[in-house]
Amino acid sequence: MSSRGGSGGVGGGSKRSGRGPRGRVGGGSTNSRSSHYRPRRGRERSPPPPQPPPGQPGRECHRPCVAIGADVYVVKKNDQRTGKETRGEVSRLLTKSAYHPRGIKVMLVDGEVGRVTRFPGDSAAAAATTTVVPKGRNNKTSKKRSLSDYLTEEGVDENLSRVVKAAAEASSQVAKELRNLSLLGDVEERGGNVNVQGEVQKGMDVRANAIFLQKLKPFVAAMVSEEEEGIVAGGAITKQPSEEKYCIAFDPLDGSSNLDVAAPTGSIFGIYQTFQAPARQSLVAAGYAVYSSATELVLAGVGENVVGFTLDAEDNLFRCSRPNIVCPERGPYYSLNEAREPDWPDGLRQWITDAKRGQTPSGIKYSARYVCSLTPDVHRTLLKGGWAGNPRPHLRLLYEAAPLAFIMEAAGGGGSDGVSNLLDIEPTSLHDRVCCFLGSKLDIEDLESYGNVQQSSSSMNHDTYDRACQINTQQHTLFITSYPFHIGDAMILQPNKSMIVVDAPADQGRFF
């Protein structure tokens, strides 16, 4: 038998091992497994390449490596088509070998995942599309100011800033409740009461109202809500007369009839110096929140621009997402309930007919957009142009029509009841109702030029005014018995743009 492949072990017991088939060391049977793992004699393993210091690309190596802490450019999966690069610090290696830098899958400190394309030193100038991720910060929100920062930078009055932030907190809490409403199984839950508007309250109407009252009470002198019959005293009524005090009127949940189909809803609020004067003289700031695919908060009166914020779900903060909202002078949409067409006045009917055919003064062929929730309809109109409204005297002046008109006008648009500017209408009761058209300035002017666009009178009957102006406090109840706001022999004055009850018992003096 040949010495190769003998039974005496590898090499058949020969002192000198020969080569087997295909260069195997030790010859022998081609099925011998042990020969595959035996290194050639006289040769040693080469040492592994040196590891670079942490955070360094390792340019001293013949092949640069990616290490935790390295500064790299990556292309995320969603950016592969465009080739957009993102720069950041590596927090985790997702590929076993880090010695092939091009294509290594890594996670950056902001949680983004991508494949390494190059190191900063590979190119003298970064591409224009490169996004730099600051170390240790989330790129999605790193450049977005919070609402609190925005108010501070804009130099907003401290007391006003507190009221705005409290309204924002209330909106955030309502948004949280709405996200889980369907899971709780109480979308159709009734509040058990009929509010002052004659509407049956839903459970969420009641909860949203309670949230706004709780959040706002410490910072305002008085509150008016769609869900409350009279004025609710706030916690700021005990402040010194020399301090600026604010009142607030709000609709805590606009469009609650849409809750059972998960359609967009909203909240509206106006911050006043007094409820006795037209909004142009008394309204200081206004805002609304839209609860939809995102929760957006739009504010006017807290800076030079109308500004929009988006609720960041990670830290529950509103962050600036629309720093300068401008309403287009004209737009392609109108928004109202066309099922009411048989009741429309002639002027409105003619405008709608002409708009569909492109025969209005603008020459635009309009399309209809209607959510049946005022806040989302107005939000779309503010951004896209056109107008949204209701020709019936249905919307409440203090906490719906006037605040939204204030925002529209600040953004370059306008608000009208079909005849007069909504900001110039003097309120005669807390729950005044008006016709309302809000939107692009030129579209509103065109609509008014048709004449006869109001379905009926722009104001409701005021017989129940005394009842609506009841002031509720925990200790006692004050009744305003007649206009202009007398309480027995006590008279309400307006020092420092606020109202105070004088000549009443000391414990009943209230600013509102």
Side-chain angles (χ1 to χ4, degrees):
M1 181 179 289
S2 172
S3 63
R4 292 187 181 184
S7 61
V10 177
S14 171
K15 295 182 180 180
R16 184 176 180 179
S17 299
R19 286 191 176 273
R22 299 183 183 177
R24 289 190 182 89
V25 177
S29 171
T30 57
N31 294 325
S32 174
R33 293 179 55 87
S34 61
S35 61
H36 289 275
Y37 299 95
R38 189 179 298 277
R40 293 182 182 181
R41 293 185 179 181
R43 302 187 65 174
E44 297 181 357
R45 291 180 181 271
S46 58
Q51 292 282 353
Q56 299 298 324
R59 295 289 172 180
E60 69 278 10
C61 302
H62 101 126
R63 288 182 299 186
C65 71
V66 177
I68 294 176
D71 190 13
V72 297
Y73 287 94
V74 301
V75 173
K76 296 179 286 186
K77 184 176 181 179
N78 293 338
D79 297 329
Q80 287 179 355
R81 289 187 178 181
T82 61
K84 179 181 176 182
E85 294 179 317
T86 300
R87 182 177 176 179
E89 179 184 334
V90 176
S91 65
R92 183 180 176 187
L93 300 176
L94 303 179
T95 304
K96 291 183 179 180
S97 173
Y99 286 93
H100 302 279
R102 308 303 186 272
I104 291 295
K105 193 174 182 180
V106 299
M107 178 182 291
L108 303 182
V109 292
D110 67 334
E112 296 286 356
V113 175
R115 294 192 178 274
V116 177
T117 55
R118 61 191 177 95
F119 295 102
D122 287 348
S123 176
T129 56
T130 298
T131 302
V132 178
V133 181
K135 293 186 177 182
R137 296 189 64 187
N138 190 325
N139 184 49
K140 296 178 181 178
T141 58
S142 60
K143 295 183 180 180
K144 308 297 184 183
R145 289 182 293 175
S146 68
L147 173 60
S148 180
D149 292 339
Y150 178 87
L151 295 174
T152 301
E153 292 171 12
E154 292 294 326
V156 177
D157 171 72
E158 186 175 351
N159 288 336
L160 177 60
S161 179
R162 291 193 186 103
V163 178
V164 171
K165 286 188 283 189
E169 289 179 11
S171 300
S172 173
Q173 183 64 34
V174 171
K176 181 180 178 181
E177 293 261 345
L178 291 174
R179 283 197 298 269
N180 298 320
L181 189 62
S182 297
L183 298 176
L184 299 176
D186 57 356
V187 175
E188 290 294 335
E189 177 191 352
R190 300 294 177 180
N193 296 314
V194 176
N195 64 16
V196 68
Q197 320 299 332
E199 302 164 342
V200 178
Q201 294 176 314
K202 288 190 174 183
M204 193 60 217
D205 286 320
V206 177
R207 292 204 293 277
N209 185 55
I211 290 170
F212 268 83
L213 291 175
Q214 178 189 11
K215 296 290 185 181
L216 290 165
K217 185 174 182 177
F219 308 108
V220 296
M223 298 174 283
V224 171
S225 168
E226 180 187 18
E227 308 299 334
E228 300 289 337
E229 186 175 356
I231 296 176
V232 179
I237 54 180
T238 58
K239 291 183 177 180
Q240 297 297 323
S242 59
E243 289 187 274
E244 190 74 55
K245 288 163 286 294
Y246 298 99
C247 312
I248 190 166
F250 55 85
D251 181 353
L253 187 58
D254 167 58
S256 58
S257 61
N258 284 333
L259 290 177
D260 56 340
V261 293
T265 54
S267 298
I268 309 168
F269 59 89
I271 302 172
Y272 292 83
Q273 293 170 328
T274 173
F275 295 138
Q276 275 189 278
R280 193 176 299 281
Q281 303 173 22
S282 60
L283 191 54
V284 178
Y288 65 79
V290 177
Y291 311 119
S292 185
S293 56
T295 297
E296 291 202 28
L297 177 69
V298 175
L299 299 173
V302 294
E304 295 183 0
N305 306 322
V306 175
V307 60
F309 299 84
T310 300
L311 184 62
D312 186 345
E314 293 183 2
D315 52 17
N316 204 39
L317 293 177
F318 279 102
R319 297 190 177 276
C320 183
S321 54
R322 303 182 191 270
N324 184 17
I325 298 176
V326 177
C327 181
E329 287 190 341
R330 292 192 184 276
Y333 306 120
Y334 67 88
S335 178
L336 81 169
N337 187 354
E338 292 212 51
R340 304 280 185 179
E341 187 271 338
D343 301 326
W344 288 348
D346 293 339
L348 179 61
R349 183 181 290 107
Q350 187 61 52
W351 189 94
I352 297 295
T353 300
D354 291 348
K356 292 176 179 179
R357 294 166 172 76
Q359 296 174 357
T360 62
S362 68
I364 297 174
K365 193 172 183 178
Y366 288 78
S367 297
R369 297 288 187 274
Y370 186 57
V371 178
C372 193
S373 182
L374 177 65
T375 313
D377 280 326
V378 168
H379 186 59
R380 180 194 57 253
T381 302
L382 177 66
L383 301 177
K384 301 294 186 180
W387 62 263
N390 193 330
R392 296 181 298 152
H394 178 72
L395 301 178
R396 274 67 59 151
L397 178 64
L398 276 179
Y399 42 84
E400 289 178 331
L404 293 177
F406 182 88
I407 295 170
M408 276 292 181
E409 190 162 304
S416 170
D417 70 347
V419 177
S420 306
N421 192 306
L422 290 168
L423 298 180
D424 296 326
I425 298 175
E426 185 169 357
T428 55
S429 76
L430 297 180
H431 300 285
D432 269 359
R433 293 175 181 260
V434 294
C435 305
C436 183
F437 302 95
L438 301 157
S440 299
K441 183 178 180 180
L442 297 181
D443 285 333
I444 295 295
E445 291 177 357
D446 287 351
L447 180 66
E448 288 179 326
S449 70
Y450 275 67
N452 192 23
V453 295
Q454 293 179 330
Q455 197 162 313
S456 61
S457 174
S458 63
S459 184
M460 69 181 287
N461 190 313
H462 310 307
D463 292 341
T464 59
Y465 177 59
D466 296 342
R467 201 160 50 97
C469 289
Q470 177 178 322
I471 305 176
N472 299 311
T473 65
Q474 292 182 350
Q475 285 85 15
H476 57 275
T477 300
L478 303 179
F479 292 92
I480 300 174
T481 58
S482 62
Y483 188 89
F485 299 105
H486 290 270
I487 301 182
D489 294 328
M491 184 71 180
I492 295 179
L493 305 177
Q494 293 182 317
N496 189 34
K497 300 179 183 179
S498 297
M499 295 181 285
I500 181 174
V501 182
V502 297
D503 297 329
D507 64 338
Q508 295 183 3
R510 290 290 184 267
F511 290 89
F512 64 94

